[in-house]
Amino acid sequence: MTHILRSSNYLSTFSIRIVRMAAQTNTDLHGHDFKELVIITNGRGVHFCRDESNPIQAGDCFLVEGAHGYRDCTSLSLVNVLFKPARLPLPWQEAHKLPGYHAFFGLEPAFRKKHNFSSRLRLAPNALAIVNNIIGSIEKELFERKAGFEFLAYSHFMGLVGFLSREFDRGKSLSSPEILGLSRVISYLEQNYTEPIRVNELV
């Protein structure tokens, strides 16, 4: 039976949590009732789910929603950003307008097996450094808990979502044109649902 990690244990005091794994070891298959954004900061290994496994390395970023684990870890370091969208008081509809948002946070996980993980986001070193800085800002607010830390932590998290969405939109993987095309169709439908929709416009 797969072990389930509960948000009541990990997100009980705030709806975002940063977990750094300086030396990620092999872990068995486990699930959770929250979303987990994974950023690989160093090394390499294999990320696996129930019916697929994929090599990972520094710079890889991906969203985990179901059961997963790690094996063959070699100097593997990563950051997990845990969150539950329904509990975040954020303007998610505005995020939907971002190029790459639907692609990275919705379509890539769904297409991951079909594309053999070739659709993942792999950040260049300079982009990975920016992501690390944003995550560091979230950690600082959550650790110090000064007046207004909630507002600032959420704002930094929105910056992280926006940055990753735009980076995915710039991606050059073999699978990204298909995913990005569908993402733009979804965004168009969301922003024009009150108007007549023509197939040639979607194309």
Side-chain angles (χ1 to χ4, degrees), residues 5 13 18 20 75 80 100 113 134 146 169 180 190 195:
L5 307 180
T13 59
I18 309 297
R20 286 189 182 269
S75 302
N80 293 321
K113 183 178 179 181
I134 297 173
K146 294 180 180 178
D169 188 58
L180 288 170
E190 287 185 339
E195 305 295 329

Side-chain angles (χ1 to χ4, degrees), residues 18 22-24 40 49 54-55 58 63 68 91 93 99-100 115 118 130 142 150 156 167 192:
I18 309 297
Q24 176 67 53
I40 309 298
C49 301
N54 301 288
L63 188 70
H68 73 124
Q93 288 304 118
H115 292 155
S118 65
I130 291 172
L142 296 182
E150 301 96 336
H156 291 310
E167 284 297 303
N192 297 277

Side-chain angles (χ1 to χ4, degrees), residues 110-122:
F111 279 76
R112 192 169 294 162
K113 183 178 179 181
K114 175 186 175 184
H115 292 155
N116 295 317
F117 209 37
S118 65
S119 53
R120 69 187 175 283
L121 172 61
R122 177 167 292 165

Side-chain angles (χ1 to χ4, degrees), residues 5-23:
L5 307 180
R6 301 291 180 186
S7 57
S8 56
N9 295 323
Y10 287 84
L11 299 169
S12 58
T13 59
F14 197 69
S15 48
I16 301 171
R17 182 171 179 177
I18 309 297
V19 179
R20 286 189 182 269
M21 304 298 294

Side-chain angles (χ1 to χ4, degrees), residues 20-97:
R20 286 189 182 269
M21 304 298 294
Q24 176 67 53
T25 57
N26 294 346
T27 60
D28 294 330
L29 200 67
H30 62 279
H32 35 71
D33 64 355
F34 48 82
K35 293 184 185 292
E36 185 175 294
L37 175 60
V38 180
I39 298 99
I40 309 298
T41 56
N42 189 60
R44 61 183 63 248
V46 173
H47 177 261
F48 67 92
C49 301
R50 294 187 186 278
D51 55 357
E52 62 178 300
S53 61
N54 301 288
I56 52 175
Q57 67 180 63
D60 286 347
C61 300
F62 52 94
L63 188 70
V64 176
E65 298 180 281
H68 73 124
Y70 297 95
R71 65 169 184 262
D72 302 333
C73 301
T74 303
S75 302
L76 185 64
S77 301
L78 55 87
V79 181
N80 293 321
V81 182
L82 317 181
F83 64 101
K84 209 164 185 178
R87 288 178 51 187
L88 295 175
L90 303 179
W92 286 109
Q93 288 304 118
E94 295 303 310
H96 293 186
K97 299 175 184 178

